[in-house]
Amino acid sequence: MSDPDRPEKVSSTRLFRDDTKFALGRIAVFQYAAVGVFLFLIAGFWVLQIRDHEANSTLAERNRIKTVPLLAPRGKILDRDGRVIVDNQPAFVVQLTQENLKPEHLAPIAEGLHLDLDELKATVRRYAAGKRYSPIPIKRDLSPAELTFIDSHRDPGTFPELELVQEPRRLYPQNGLAAHVIGYVGEVSEAELNSSEFASYSQGDLVGKSGLEKQYNEILKGVDGQRRVVVDVAGREHQVLESAEATPGQNLQLTIDLDLQAVAELALEGKKGAVVALDPHDGSVLAMVSRPAFDPNLFAAHIKAADWKALTSNPENPLINRAIQAQFAPGSTFKPLVAIAGLETGAVDDNFSVHCGGGASFYGRYFKCWEKRGHGGVNMHAGIVHSCDVYFYTIGNKIGIDGIAEYAEQAGIGKKTGIDLPGEAEGLMPSSKWKLRTQREKWYAGETISVAIGQGAVTVTPIQLASAIGGMANGGVWFKPHLVKMAAAPDAARKENWNLDNIAKVVFGMYGVVNEGGTGGSAAIPGITVSGKTGSAQRVSNDFKKSGKADADDKDNGWFVAFAPRENPEIVLAVLLEGGEHGALAAPTARDVIKAYFDKKTRLSKLTQPTLALIRHPGQ
């Protein structure tokens, strides 16, 4: 019998079995773990080498090989004589490389570069939604202190995402010279990137935003190049693997004459308005000014929010190109076209005369002449010379609105000229059909009286008025206005079968405006047969003026249209002075530009004559 207090002897066989079972369990766990690790490694290998092979290969390559963009300069913009108006200057843009970007670095980078942190984060988010490895340009206008900050912080130990790239920057004329003609460049917007026109562009690219920069963007922009270089961990270059140089954009030569442009700019200094000078023989724009202007250099890098707000909130609207966008009643500058309509329709002849006693009644309403004392007996020539309202009230009533509209539209009133600038306005030439279509009302004969003197619903732009009068003076032949010098002949002219004798009679009247004691005598130039027409156009009614509510901006506009010489004119101008009150005040501006044109022509003629003589007689 066994002793209950003495433990039984455990058999060696049982112990062996327990040890073996435990060991086998540990081996199984190890095996499962090994298989799991193996499967994990295989999955990781599949992700690295198969699924994300291209992306990871690119990333690995970028750690060793760096692609440095070589940004192409835009083409220069030259005047008609080849003088540079818009050039490029070397500058830098700081970028963030997305593959090295760390979110926690944005705050110190924004502080060092004087950027708004929220705007910087928004920029990064916008680029992150696009191409994964596209660099993010964050600032172009860098101060010396900011360049120092970048140079001292772009090593791998601090901000490896910082990258400084050289880029050519637009250099525009100072003081807004030809600003509205040239326009400006800026970063392509998201809306533009979503359009087919900008399908080949990427975020951060610079494109033309207005003026010729926009109109001829595809010609002016170049093709960027790049260098692929081997770099070390510090980003230092050790070897150039390949290099494709940037191709500069094509230069753009304009029809603008810088000498005339400068004269016109100075004449409008401190005023609000526009000047357009054309060559009626081919439509070349010799000068185009809009004031007030702006400085396109503000846009050359990245316009500051404060500068943009100042421009867009300015009540003077400096961003508007008044030469092609200001739409105002032409006033008495419209009278030559009414005279043509009267002669061409046979409603009157040049001997038709009226008596002006300071006004006349039509359809139960009394219409005043600008000359309260009246002009007495007036025929067509005197009516144009002295701008007699009563005379044109009368012939306008005889012609009728549709007769006036027919010939005004033939001259281009109420239509875009087609000038090679974006944003041209078309003005308005009313007619009975127009009123029925737009207002569902018939045209009343009394409304024609105001239109006959360039008031009422009729509106023009300065470019439109210059083109209309220039084509009339050119024998009823109109060329499309253009700003870029053409290698070939201009587009086919538009011609109306106007009687040349009728044109000559109207032109003679415009000659008298300047040279026979008319309203435009301040435009006279000795030795040059300048012809012209003044115009004063109301912006508000006389009743509103009398109410005392009108302010300085409600003063009449002053217009003056002119050409020279009288026969076969070489230059035609339209001058608008907003709030200028009287067209006579706009006439000196036209005189100065015309004088500059002929002075330069005479000077060049004297310079070339000896050269020509030497060519003809080389032995002398």
Side-chain angles (χ1 to χ4, degrees):
M1 179 178 285
S2 62
D3 188 350
D5 296 327
R6 184 180 178 183
E8 294 185 4
K9 186 178 180 180
V10 180
S11 70
S12 60
T13 302
R14 183 179 176 185
L15 290 172
F16 176 77
R17 287 175 179 172
D18 290 343
D19 289 345
T20 301
K21 186 176 180 180
F22 177 74
L24 289 173
R26 294 185 67 179
I27 291 171
V29 170
F30 176 77
Q31 288 176 333
Y32 281 122
V35 170
V37 171
F38 178 74
L39 290 175
F40 177 78
L41 292 173
I42 288 295
F45 178 81
W46 180 82
V47 169
L48 290 171
Q49 298 296 325
I50 299 175
R51 192 189 73 177
D52 295 340
H53 171 74
E54 184 176 350
N56 288 313
S57 295
T58 301
L59 185 58
E61 183 74 1
R62 290 174 69 89
N63 289 331
R64 184 177 67 88
I65 299 175
K66 178 180 177 182
T67 299
V68 180
L70 301 175
L71 303 180
R74 289 174 74 83
K76 298 178 182 180
I77 298 179
L78 317 172
D79 90 327
R80 69 187 296 112
D81 297 322
R83 293 171 290 185
V84 176
I85 301 175
V86 180
D87 206 342
N88 301 295
Q89 62 180 340
F92 292 96
V93 55
V94 60
Q95 301 177 340
L96 299 179
T97 54
Q98 293 196 59
E99 65 272 19
N100 297 325
L101 182 59
K102 295 182 179 180
E104 61 269 22
H105 289 172
L106 293 180
I109 288 174
E111 182 180 358
L113 295 178
H114 306 98
L115 296 170
D116 182 273
L117 180 58
D118 291 335
E119 290 183 7
L120 178 58
K121 288 180 177 178
T123 300
V124 170
R125 285 195 299 270
R126 189 169 69 251
Y127 276 79
K131 295 181 181 178
R132 187 174 178 183
Y133 298 111
S134 177
I136 307 172
I138 59 173
K139 192 164 189 179
R140 285 187 160 89
D141 192 11
L142 299 168
S143 66
E146 290 165 346
L147 288 170
T148 302
F149 170 82
I150 296 167
D151 191 55
S152 60
H153 288 84
R154 58 176 172 164
D155 61 87
T158 49
F159 304 140
E161 55 269 85
L162 280 178
E163 189 173 68
L164 195 63
V165 177
Q166 187 171 17
E167 74 168 355
R169 182 180 301 166
R170 271 321 214 190
L171 181 61
Y172 294 108
Q174 297 298 312
N175 302 317
L177 180 79
H180 296 89
V181 172
I182 297 165
Y184 57 87
V185 296
E187 285 189 21
V188 63
S189 67
E190 289 188 68
E192 289 169 330
L193 287 171
N194 291 329
S195 68
S196 58
E197 182 183 355
F198 295 91
S200 62
Y201 289 80
S202 301
Q203 285 185 330
D205 287 349
L206 293 178
V207 298
K209 292 287 188 176
S210 73
L212 293 171
E213 290 277 29
K214 179 177 182 179
Q215 185 77 17
Y216 291 98
N217 183 65
E218 293 303 308
I219 291 176
L220 289 166
K221 81 177 184 73
V223 179
D224 292 343
Q226 65 177 21
R227 286 190 302 120
R228 297 182 71 237
V229 297
V230 178
V231 297
D232 58 22
V233 292
R236 292 185 291 266
E237 297 182 9
H238 288 279
Q239 181 184 356
V240 178
L241 297 179
E242 60 179 327
S243 178
E245 295 300 320
T247 303
Q250 298 179 43
N251 291 343
L252 203 64
Q253 187 167 14
L254 308 186
T255 60
I256 292 285
D257 186 318
L258 266 181
D259 298 313
L260 302 190
Q261 183 74 22
V263 171
E265 298 264 3
L266 288 172
L268 275 190
E269 190 66 37
K271 301 182 179 71
K272 186 162 62 172
V275 176
V276 175
L278 301 174
D279 181 346
H281 293 150
D282 62 6
S284 297
V285 179
L286 303 175
M288 179 180 285
V289 181
S290 177
R291 290 284 172 162
F294 63 94
D295 184 2
N297 290 295
L298 294 174
F299 297 86
H302 180 76
I303 188 166
K304 298 175 182 176
D307 291 332
W308 176 249
K309 183 178 180 181
L311 287 171
T312 55
S313 63
N314 189 331
E316 300 293 306
N317 297 315
L319 292 177
I320 291 179
N321 184 355
R322 287 170 164 79
I324 65 169
Q325 294 175 321
Q327 302 175 86
F328 292 115
S332 295
T333 59
F334 188 66
K335 290 175 179 176
L337 298 178
V338 176
I340 281 287
L343 294 172
E344 289 291 305
T345 59
V348 297
D349 60 26
D350 59 317
N351 292 317
F352 174 78
S353 62
V354 301
H355 179 80
C356 172
S361 295
F362 297 90
Y363 306 101
R365 178 184 168 191
Y366 186 74
F367 292 84
K368 295 179 180 179
C369 182
W370 70 268
E371 177 55 82
K372 296 179 181 179
R373 296 172 299 178
H375 292 100
V378 181
N379 62 10
M380 179 168 285
H381 182 74
I384 296 174
V385 171
H386 300 293
S387 197
C388 177
D389 290 335
V390 170
Y391 183 85
F392 284 93
Y393 292 151
T394 305
I395 69 169
N397 188 49
K398 284 180 170 291
I399 302 166
I401 187 59
D402 291 332
I404 295 173
E406 178 184 356
Y407 286 91
E409 288 173 354
Q410 287 179 11
I413 301 299
K415 300 176 183 177
K416 294 180 181 180
T417 65
I419 189 173
D420 47 345
L421 279 178
E424 182 186 8
E426 61 183 12
L428 174 64
M429 183 59 231
S431 65
S432 59
K433 290 182 179 179
W434 164 82
K435 189 175 181 184
L436 190 62
R437 184 180 70 252
T438 60
Q439 301 179 29
R440 300 293 187 269
E441 293 181 0
K442 71 174 185 177
W443 183 271
Y444 294 100
E447 296 175 272
T448 307
I449 307 304
S450 294
V451 173
I453 62 166
Q455 294 283 176
V458 60
T459 61
V460 299
T461 63
I463 183 70
Q464 192 179 89
L465 185 60
S467 177
I469 297 298
M472 181 204 70
N474 196 38
V477 179
W478 290 265
F479 288 91
K480 182 190 295 186
H482 59 273
L483 282 154
V484 172
K485 205 168 185 178
M486 301 176 179
D491 294 341
R494 180 173 55 83
K495 180 172 174 42
E496 297 293 345
N497 192 29
W498 290 2
N499 186 297
L500 295 180
D501 287 340
N502 290 337
I503 292 175
K505 292 169 184 176
V506 174
V507 168
F508 180 41
M510 296 180 72
Y511 171 82
V513 169
V514 177
N515 301 281
E516 296 178 356
T519 54
S522 57
I525 303 173
I528 301 173
T529 53
V530 178
S531 303
K533 186 69 192 77
T534 56
S536 300
Q538 290 183 337
R539 303 178 71 175
V540 297
S541 68
N542 289 325
D543 290 339
F544 185 76
K545 289 181 180 179
K546 292 177 182 178
S547 70
K549 297 178 182 179
D551 55 29
D553 289 336
D554 294 323
K555 291 180 180 179
D556 293 353
N557 290 329
W559 286 95
F560 189 71
V561 61
F563 53 87
R566 172 179 158 185
E567 296 181 1
N568 195 24
E570 299 175 24
I571 182 172
V572 57
L573 289 98
V575 179
L576 165 67
L577 293 183
E578 285 189 38
E581 296 193 83
H582 302 294
L585 299 178
T589 297
R591 176 200 62 210
D592 292 346
V593 176
I594 292 173
K595 187 175 187 303
Y597 172 85
F598 285 101
D599 284 350
K600 181 174 181 177
K601 181 180 178 181
T602 301
R603 186 170 65 252
L604 291 176
S605 176
K606 290 179 178 178
L607 287 173
T608 55
Q609 282 175 1
T611 304
L612 292 172
L614 287 172
I615 293 173
R616 292 173 183 146
H617 308 285
Q620 294 183 1

